[in-house]
Amino acid sequence: MAKPKEQNFLHGAVILTAGVIITKILGAIYKIPLGNILGDDGYAYFYSAYSVYNVFLTMTTAGLPVAMSRMVAEAHEQGHYMQVRRTFSVSWWTFLVIGFISACIMFLFPQNLANLLDRPEAAASIYTIAPGILFVCVVSAYRGYCQGHKNMTPTTIGQVIEVLVKVIVGLALAIFFVRQGRTVEIACSGATFGVTAGGFAVLIYMYLYKRRNYHDPDREECTDTPMSSSDTLKRLLSIGIPITIGSSGMSLISLIDTKFINNRLQMAAGFSPHDSAVLFGVFSKAQTLYNLPAAFVTPLVISIVPSIAAYMVVKDYKNAGKTSEDALRITLDICMPMGIGLAVLAAPIMDTLYHGSHSSGPRLLAIMGLASFFVCFSLVQNAILQAHGNEKLTIVSLFTGGLIKITVDWFLVAIPSINIYGAPIGTILCYAVICIMNHIFIRKHYEYKPSLARIVPKPLVSSLIMGAFALGSYYLIRLVIRGESRLETLICMLFCVAVAVVVYVIAVVQTRAITKEDMSLIPKGDKIARYLHLKSAE
């Protein structure tokens, strides 16, 4: 069967990460101007609609694509090509039906969904974003198929196309409606329609990519007899539903938490509806930045599931365990410096990107920056558990952490002196508990047990050194550039980021947080290793 060249898990993750970098740049072009155009209150409406969309998106695409990629990887590793074909066919129709039902719910009941969040102004945005769910669901079938073949290239290109169209269409419509003097609610709906347009564009691309690069095998060429469609569907659901419950459960908890935050700010802490919207709006802006490290770790999450599953199906437990530990270690290499960087440079980052926003923004981002590496670590832990067939355990940890978050937020947000700061504190506690529980599950159930002593210290030391230099360089350059304008703050921030990058690269080389063996797994990695004088792991 003709197919593009497969990639190892880190090679595939690098390809996906390249896409993440591009999409995040495009996303910044979309969300940062949008936050400034709509204001804090308007961005609260936009983010509320996006929260509803994310719940449906998670429910429909969080578990089944992972299950599909795992099934495709297992069948392909065993040479069962007819089963690969059957898995794709069953999955495609399943995604279509689920996407259609979800889109209809959002399209027919936007006001009801908006009222659930105490944000009735978000109804128009929910209405225009609804068709995007259908498109993204069907796209997930194509992505899962390619990822099951350890080919991450179409996913990356598709993400870039999706975000590029979203930026062009969404931002253009938002600006157009504002200039026409339309209400902020209509401007928000224009912005969210960009998501729908992007989903349609990537669907066309993924369909054409599969048609041109993957050809169904002839029955005469295959020796395997595939499972029936009903049995294939049962296995898809048996793997995917627990993953979906866990992931959508956290999204649902976050949605409930959003309602509680708004309610507690007004009813318990004594803020007016407008002031609570402003606080939640600036919290939402900080959340956009806090999600950045997770976006760079998601490629690893996507890439390791089919890789570990392929090892497990042939009972190669040693390589499955080594891949798991490598993924956890590389995750911390990526997310720890980003999280600490967000924390120590929170003030210039918020002032540069969201100049004029509420003064609580920097402190919110500082707290959430520290929470971000717990989020990232838990994402990879979940993927490891899912790849090993223990997806039900992720439900236990996710719901435990989610309930802790709701409880903490309920009490802390109601305290006037804490107010919105209670939300990120709840996030830290939530994901710290998830990480602890997942680590216990992994240590208990697997023969090759990842060691925190081998995973944590080196990236932690490197990141702390980087954070100290970043903060120190900021105060030093402020002695030279004393102005407080947006441009002067931007110059200071870029200087600090440059210092942080250089210091971190030196630190990871000296501490061997990244090794010569790691670099050999990525394209041109051997040349980079020689240039940086990387050493082998001890």
Side-chain angles (χ1 to χ4, degrees):
M1 182 169 62
K3 60 184 184 302
K5 185 179 179 181
E6 295 177 359
Q7 302 129 7
N8 63 60
F9 88 96
L10 194 53
H11 189 159
V14 169
I15 292 174
L16 288 171
T17 301
V20 167
I21 293 172
I22 297 172
T23 56
K24 285 301 172 183
I25 292 172
L26 293 173
I29 296 172
Y30 176 62
K31 289 187 176 180
I32 293 173
L34 196 62
N36 293 318
I37 291 168
L38 301 178
D40 287 340
D41 53 345
Y43 201 79
Y45 309 149
F46 169 81
Y47 196 86
S48 295
Y50 220 87
S51 296
V52 174
Y53 171 80
N54 278 334
V55 169
F56 282 93
L57 184 68
T58 304
M59 285 176 17
T60 54
T61 65
L64 294 180
V66 175
M68 180 187 176
S69 69
R70 180 173 140 188
M71 290 172 64
V72 169
E74 291 172 349
H76 184 260
E77 187 71 20
Q78 295 173 310
H80 296 167
Y81 300 122
M82 291 304 296
Q83 182 58 47
V84 171
R85 178 181 179 180
R86 177 65 53 81
T87 299
F88 174 76
S89 176
V90 170
S91 299
W92 192 94
W93 284 104
T94 302
F95 290 139
L96 179 68
V97 171
I98 293 174
F100 179 77
I101 294 172
S102 300
C104 284
I105 293 173
M106 291 182 66
F107 193 80
L108 296 175
F109 306 103
Q111 194 64 63
N112 303 76
L113 294 170
N115 290 341
L116 286 175
L117 297 179
D118 295 327
R119 290 281 179 257
E121 302 89 347
S125 297
I126 296 173
Y127 183 84
T128 56
I129 208 173
I133 287 289
L134 173 61
F135 301 143
V136 174
C137 277
V138 180
V139 165
S140 295
Y142 294 101
R143 286 177 174 164
Y145 181 85
C146 295
Q147 290 162 10
H149 285 88
K150 303 178 186 177
N151 178 17
M152 308 300 162
T153 301
T155 297
T156 298
I157 296 175
Q159 287 173 336
V160 173
I161 292 173
E162 183 178 6
V163 176
L164 183 61
V165 173
K166 179 178 74 174
V167 169
I168 294 173
V169 175
L171 201 55
L173 286 176
I175 293 172
F176 173 77
F177 286 133
V178 168
R179 289 181 176 176
Q180 290 293 313
R182 306 299 292 273
T183 64
V184 68
E185 292 91 339
I186 297 299
C188 289
S189 70
T192 54
F193 182 75
V195 177
T196 295
F200 182 69
V202 73
L203 175 59
I204 295 173
Y205 165 75
M206 293 298 292
Y207 168 77
L208 293 175
Y209 184 92
K210 181 182 181 299
R211 184 172 181 179
R212 291 173 181 173
N213 293 278
Y214 291 98
H215 306 289
D216 289 333
D218 296 328
R219 291 184 179 274
E220 294 77 12
E221 299 176 357
C222 303
T223 58
D224 66 302
T225 300
M227 292 188 293
S228 65
S229 295
S230 60
D231 287 341
T232 300
L233 177 61
K234 288 178 183 177
R235 182 145 194 268
L236 179 73
L237 296 178
S238 69
I239 298 172
I241 286 177
I243 300 174
T244 300
I245 291 173
S247 299
S248 62
M250 181 55 72
S251 294
L252 185 59
I253 288 170
S254 296
L255 194 65
I256 296 170
D257 189 44
T258 297
K259 181 179 176 65
F260 282 172
I261 290 172
N262 291 320
N263 178 273
R264 300 297 280 172
L265 283 172
Q266 295 178 44
M267 304 302 294
F271 290 90
S272 68
H274 176 266
D275 288 342
S276 70
V278 168
L279 286 173
F280 185 76
V282 74
F283 172 65
S284 301
K285 290 176 179 178
Q287 275 193 309
T288 300
L289 297 168
Y290 141 86
N291 288 327
L292 186 62
F296 283 89
V297 169
T298 299
L300 265 180
V301 173
I302 295 171
S303 187
I304 63 172
V305 171
S307 293
I308 294 175
Y311 285 130
M312 292 298 293
V313 78
V314 295
K315 303 187 186 312
D316 187 354
Y317 302 121
K318 182 178 179 180
N319 274 320
K322 186 177 184 303
T323 299
S324 301
E325 183 168 297
D326 287 344
L328 290 169
R329 179 172 50 80
I330 293 168
T331 295
L332 292 187
D333 288 336
I334 296 170
C335 69
M336 268 194 174
M338 296 182 73
I340 290 177
L342 288 174
V344 301
L345 298 177
I349 290 172
M350 288 297 292
D351 189 43
T352 299
L353 300 182
Y354 298 110
H355 188 70
S357 285
H358 193 270
S359 59
S360 62
R363 282 170 288 178
L364 287 168
L365 181 59
I367 300 171
M368 296 171 75
L370 297 177
S372 64
F373 51 78
F374 288 111
V375 175
C376 295
F377 203 67
S378 70
L379 287 175
V380 179
Q381 288 176 320
N382 288 340
I384 291 169
L385 288 166
Q386 292 159 7
H388 281 81
N390 295 115
E391 53 274 347
K392 292 182 177 65
L393 294 177
T394 65
I395 299 176
V396 178
S397 60
L398 283 167
F399 270 92
T400 302
L403 290 175
I404 287 174
K405 176 168 173 54
I406 287 178
T407 303
V408 171
D409 288 2
W410 176 267
F411 287 105
L412 291 187
V413 173
I415 300 173
S417 59
I418 297 178
N419 58 79
I420 194 65
Y421 299 114
I425 293 171
T427 299
I428 289 180
L429 295 175
C430 162
Y431 284 99
V433 168
I434 290 173
C435 287
I436 293 169
M437 293 183 67
N438 282 348
H439 182 69
I440 292 172
F441 293 149
I442 292 172
R443 295 279 299 177
K444 180 179 179 181
H445 289 279
Y446 305 145
E447 295 181 9
Y448 187 99
K449 305 180 188 302
S451 168
L452 291 180
R454 291 191 297 265
I455 295 170
V456 176
K458 292 177 181 179
L460 177 59
V461 170
S462 301
S463 299
L464 290 174
I465 293 171
M466 178 221 71
F469 271 87
L471 188 60
S473 65
Y474 179 71
Y475 286 115
L476 283 175
I477 195 172
R478 272 302 183 191
L479 295 175
V480 178
I481 302 177
R482 297 178 179 274
E484 299 292 335
S485 71
R486 193 173 190 178
L487 177 60
E488 289 165 323
T489 303
L490 174 62
I491 294 172
C492 293
M493 185 188 73
L494 293 177
F495 174 78
C496 296
V497 170
V499 169
V501 171
V502 173
V503 170
Y504 186 69
V505 170
I506 295 172
V508 295
V509 171
Q510 294 303 314
T511 61
R512 299 187 185 180
I514 296 177
T515 66
K516 184 178 180 180
E517 289 81 3
D518 294 333
M519 298 306 296
S520 67
L521 295 174
I522 68 174
K524 309 295 183 182
D526 291 330
K527 292 183 179 179
I528 299 173
R530 287 195 298 271
Y531 179 77
L532 296 175
H533 302 289
L534 289 176
K535 300 177 182 179
S536 298
E538 293 178 343

